Amino acid sequence: MFLKQAAEFFERFFRFGGTVPMVLKLLGDDESMEWLVKSLKERLEVNPFEQTVEEQLSAMRKQNAEGNWGISEETLAKLAESAPAWPKGRDAYRSFRIRFGEGNDGVAQTFEAHAAAMKRVHGEKLWRWELLHSGKVPYKGKDVERLKLHAGNHTHHAVVEWIIVNDLSANRKRKDVTSVRGPKSLADEGIVLAWLFPKRVQAIDYDTWCAWFCGGYESNVPEDGDEEWQGVVIVFRDTASGGVLLGARWRGNDDPDYSVPPLG
């Protein structure tokens, strides 16, 4: 197998302009070999979904207008001036935290705003699990809370700011979601990624590109079991149909097809 791969490597190397003197230079010069390996590593770590600040602000403006979010031009101008550099890493992102309202009501308002943005961006490809609710929804004659922040709804405040996700593929190997989630786990930020980077969602193949849990959210689905707050919001994809899905899975999930990424 190795000999076949080596033969293919040199065939391609020479086809793209490589020469025997170049090969001899690499074999006899450690600095040249170090440069080649370093260059390849940097190339492999480039995120193919990287966006410019202008592209990101344009996407936000579009959702702001279509969703009637009420984000001012002054706020957008401040974002343009304060944008951090794009982070290094194959699955690293510069993105936004966009939250509306305060406390319990704010959590629901923010979730629904970004779920609606996902729908506008992904269109008919988006399917939202019918039991994934925000706010209070009746169950057996009682109004039951359905969604909360893992960090506590009291931490939810209206804000529009930049965030960094250093590795959207983090924590694919784990005992369960509970063991790796924490105060920095993505919540609404994970849904923002889904509408801001639609090509990343469409690339989900559960191998090179994983789906992701929004571990900063806890979902309560009494229709799906007796114990409360067992669900975790997830962004995933049906590879057969190409459909984009917004749902919830059990917090004990250990499937490496899904990550549990944190902020920063």
Side-chain angles (χ1 to χ4, degrees):
M1 176 64 76
F2 176 76
L3 291 176
K4 181 180 179 181
Q5 291 173 331
E8 182 180 355
F9 171 83
F10 282 109
E11 187 276 328
R12 291 174 62 82
F13 179 77
F14 292 126
R15 176 152 52 90
F16 284 96
T19 64
V20 171
M22 289 181 183
V23 174
L24 296 176
K25 177 70 172 176
L26 288 171
L27 293 176
D29 185 346
D30 286 349
E31 288 187 2
S32 295
M33 183 63 77
E34 182 182 13
W35 170 83
L36 177 63
V37 172
K38 183 179 179 181
S39 298
L40 285 172
K41 283 183 177 179
E42 290 177 352
R43 180 67 180 269
L44 290 172
E45 290 180 358
V46 170
N47 187 333
F49 308 107
E50 181 174 344
Q51 296 178 356
T52 65
V53 172
E54 291 74 19
E55 288 173 327
Q56 293 186 281
L57 290 176
S58 176
M60 183 193 278
R61 280 191 172 91
K62 181 176 174 63
Q63 295 308 320
N64 184 40
E66 294 182 358
N68 294 313
W69 289 351
I71 299 172
S72 69
E73 277 299 321
E74 180 182 1
T75 297
L76 293 169
K78 288 181 179 178
L79 287 171
E81 295 171 356
S82 62
W86 187 272
K88 292 183 178 180
R90 177 180 165 278
D91 210 11
Y93 298 86
R94 176 184 59 214
S95 186
F96 301 112
R97 176 186 286 120
I98 308 169
R99 291 183 171 179
F100 308 98
E102 303 290 320
N104 294 346
D105 291 342
V107 170
Q109 183 182 354
T110 296
F111 179 86
E112 294 300 336
H114 294 307
M118 272 190 74
K119 178 64 176 178
R120 288 191 292 270
V121 170
H122 294 281
E124 294 304 314
K125 287 186 176 182
L126 179 68
W127 175 83
R128 174 177 169 177
W129 188 32
E130 62 273 13
L131 295 180
L132 177 60
H133 299 293
S134 62
K136 292 184 178 181
V137 175
Y139 178 70
K140 292 185 176 180
K142 296 182 179 180
D143 287 339
V144 179
E145 288 285 357
R146 298 305 187 102
L147 189 73
K148 66 181 180 180
L149 292 178
H150 183 65
N153 288 359
H154 66 281
T155 66
H156 187 284
H157 305 290
V159 68
V160 181
E161 62 187 0
W162 292 104
I163 62 164
I164 295 294
V165 178
N166 284 320
D167 187 7
L168 190 57
S169 297
N171 297 314
R172 291 183 71 171
K173 293 182 179 180
R174 61 185 183 278
K175 175 184 176 182
D176 50 34
V177 175
T178 302
S179 64
V180 296
R181 77 192 321 187
K184 290 189 175 182
S185 295
L186 302 187
D188 44 275
E189 302 92 349
I191 306 178
V192 171
L193 286 167
W195 63 254
L196 186 58
F197 298 95
K199 291 183 179 179
R200 171 61 177 84
V201 179
Q202 293 157 11
I204 292 172
D205 58 6
Y206 301 105
D207 181 16
T208 304
W209 303 105
C210 63
W212 61 91
F213 277 104
C214 299
Y217 272 136
E218 296 184 39
S219 174
N220 186 23
V221 187
E223 298 91 343
D224 193 33
D226 295 330
E227 194 171 350
E228 295 183 331
W229 304 108
Q230 292 297 299
V232 184
V233 175
I234 186 171
V235 174
F236 60 121
R237 178 174 176 267
D238 184 330
T239 55
S241 68
V244 176
L245 301 101
L246 180 61
R249 293 279 175 88
W250 182 46
R251 67 182 185 180
N253 185 288
D254 65 352
D255 192 335
D257 286 348
Y258 314 109
S259 64
V260 189
L263 292 165

